[in-house]
Amino acid sequence: MTDQNTVGLKKLALHDLHVALGGKMVPFAGYEMPVQYPAGVMAEHQHTRRAAGLFDVSHMGQVILRPKGDMAALVAAFESLMPVDVAGLAEGRQRYGLFTNETGGILDDLMFANRGDHLFVVVNAACKEADVAHMQKHLSAVAEVRHITDRALLALQGPGAEEALAAWVPGVAEMRFMDVRVFDTLFGPMWVSRSGYTGEDGFEISVPEAGAADFARTLLGSPGVMPIGLGARDSLRLEAGLCLYGHDIDTGTTPVEAGLTWAIQKSRRAGGVRAGGFPGAERILHELAEGPERLRVGLLPQTRAPMREGTPLFAPDGTPLGEVTSGGFGPSVQAPVAMGYVAASHAAPGTALEGEVRGKRLPVTVTPLPFQPTTYKR
Amino acid sequence: MKYTKEHEWLRVEGDLVVVGITEHAATQLGDVVFVELPETETMVAEGDEVCVIESVKAASDILAPLDGEIVEVNTKLVDKPALVNEDPMGDAWFFKMKIDDLAALDDYMDEDEYADFIG
């Protein structure tokens, strides 16, 4: 097998460490990224659910929004970009957000944190340049938009994550799901959130690049911590029912269609104290009231054949209903799992559908998400 | 034993050719989670996609290495796809073919040539 073409790709600050660990490097979102280590996707996935996995997610965009004057003006301006309650987010807390466009489509999904005198935002790698430009355009009157490029971002996920991280940063043990804290550590100032993309308890940790390799090696030296590649990151998030931007959500899907209405707080809905006032509000509020025409659903293939992205979905009478947007084998579920969009008429859990795999219509059942129960420390 | 550029191995067993994938291919694929086998008593042509093999991440095909008839398939792989990773060169054969002329095998690589091919 030949090496993937890596010309023009950016290298992560921890590139040499990944190579030393035997990581198989592939192009992803403009970076050379480890898709797996010698243990392989299955073992890495299962290890994360059983113990702890360390992921390098430094390709993602880290942005600080610092108010030029009043924090409230920044909060209001940031809130005008999303159907999400920003003003109600307490200091030291993080929330899931979505930039929407004028037609209610999703420009990107993100995490934002209230750090008292500023906001900290983490966005998807493939969207980060566009997101920074979007924020500069809409926020620069009230805030300095600073794209942080000298910090690595690591995720430590799984039931063993707290013990491994608390050995070096004891304060993390007191955090609960979606808390954010800043710590002074041996490895430099660390920005920690108790969150992740696996459905497991765990942390995402922003650390200066200068201390990142030492920090990563230290964590990997802790009992039970193993390096995890993008392959297992994808199967873990799929089992957890979490969306992958560019696949399960994009500018052609609305947050309501995507089943992300939990991310739209009451204050931004019809009758709320700050209802509407975000791009695409007309469509999104309409869909909240009337229901969308299609919905993202969990799908359990009823044979052993995985249903991959792009698999067309049909009603048993042959009516086309939509397609799979993410699908593969769930190592913890020990069966194929998928998600995709179907007409709202066929979106109820338990509905029997068919997916076309290599020309054959195979049975698949609509099922509630997630496939794997989450273990967040609330 | 003969080898193809598609990382299949071919072993002559009487007048049949047994086909599997190499250790190298199994390692590159990663954990195999699904195998779809051809029907027996099917006539196939060299290069036809006859099996599907899926790992956690992706699907790939196994091609018929020669013209001939599929006479037997290894149904053990359907219930236990992981066998492909555990014993790719032995128990995890995929199918047996009847071919007209075993001399057609001469065009394929021997073990040393295959070792050079995969580097």
Side-chain angles (χ1 to χ4, degrees), chain A residues 183-226:
Chain A
F183 297 96
D184 276 316
T185 75
L186 286 175
F187 311 99
M190 237 177 233
W191 307 343
V192 180
S193 74
R194 192 155 199 162
S195 63
Y197 194 48
T198 60
E200 297 296 320
D201 179 29
F203 302 87
E204 291 199 348
I205 308 140
S206 171
V207 57
E209 281 184 352
D214 274 351
F215 176 53
R217 283 179 202 280
T218 300
L219 288 178
L220 290 169
S222 315
V225 180
M226 197 166 123

Side-chain angles (χ1 to χ4, degrees), chain A residues 1 24 35-36 39-43 230-231 234-235 303-306 308 327-329 331 357-358 360, chain B residues 7 24-25 27-34 36 52 54-59 61 78-81 118:
Chain A
M1 309 239 165
K24 183 172 163 190
V35 66
Q36 64 170 80
V41 176
M42 190 90 84
L230 288 178
D234 192 51
S235 56
T303 73
R304 297 182 66 125
R308 309 271 177 189
F329 185 83
V357 179
R358 293 179 285 273
K360 273 182 253 172
Chain B
H7 307 282
H24 174 77
T27 304
Q28 292 293 319
L29 278 172
D31 306 290
V32 174
V33 296
F34 174 75
E36 189 174 281
V52 177
E54 299 209 25
S55 67
V56 182
K57 275 300 279 180
D61 297 306
V78 174
D79 295 326
K80 203 187 170 201
I118 60 174

Side-chain angles (χ1 to χ4, degrees), chain A residues 91-143:
Chain A
E91 182 174 345
R93 296 285 293 161
Q94 174 178 272
R95 187 166 274 174
Y96 179 74
L98 301 145
F99 288 145
T100 49
N101 66 18
E102 290 304 325
T103 54
I106 301 170
L107 293 169
D108 199 7
D109 66 340
L110 53 104
M111 287 288 188
F112 66 98
N114 177 353
R115 297 214 307 210
D117 61 355
H118 67 276
L119 300 176
F120 177 55
V121 185
V122 178
V123 299
N124 283 303
C127 303
K128 66 185 177 184
E129 305 303 333
D131 288 336
V132 169
H134 184 65
M135 288 187 276
Q136 266 159 352
K137 181 176 167 193
H138 294 281
L139 305 176
S140 33
V142 294

Side-chain angles (χ1 to χ4, degrees), chain A residues 7-42:
Chain A
V7 175
L9 293 175
K10 288 176 271 190
K11 280 190 165 61
L12 300 167
L14 298 183
H15 181 87
D16 293 348
L17 177 60
H18 297 308
V19 172
L21 291 167
K24 183 172 163 190
M25 307 303 281
V26 301
F28 184 83
Y31 287 83
E32 271 185 75
M33 302 279 299
V35 66
Q36 64 170 80
Y37 297 90
V41 176
M42 190 90 84

Side-chain angles (χ1 to χ4, degrees), chain A residues 239-301:
Chain A
E239 283 186 342
L242 300 170
C243 290
L244 175 60
Y245 190 83
H247 299 259
D248 307 303
I249 50 176
D250 58 28
T251 52
T253 61
T254 71
V256 185
E257 290 175 329
L260 300 173
T261 51
W262 55 267
I264 307 175
Q265 287 78 17
K266 239 181 199 165
S267 60
R268 306 305 306 279
R269 300 185 181 207
V273 289
R274 293 184 310 287
F278 51 84
E282 195 182 339
R283 175 159 177 201
I284 290 169
L285 295 178
H286 174 80
E287 285 184 351
L288 277 171
E290 304 295 327
E293 286 180 13
R294 57 179 190 151
L295 268 170
R296 180 177 63 97
V297 295
L299 297 162
L300 269 183

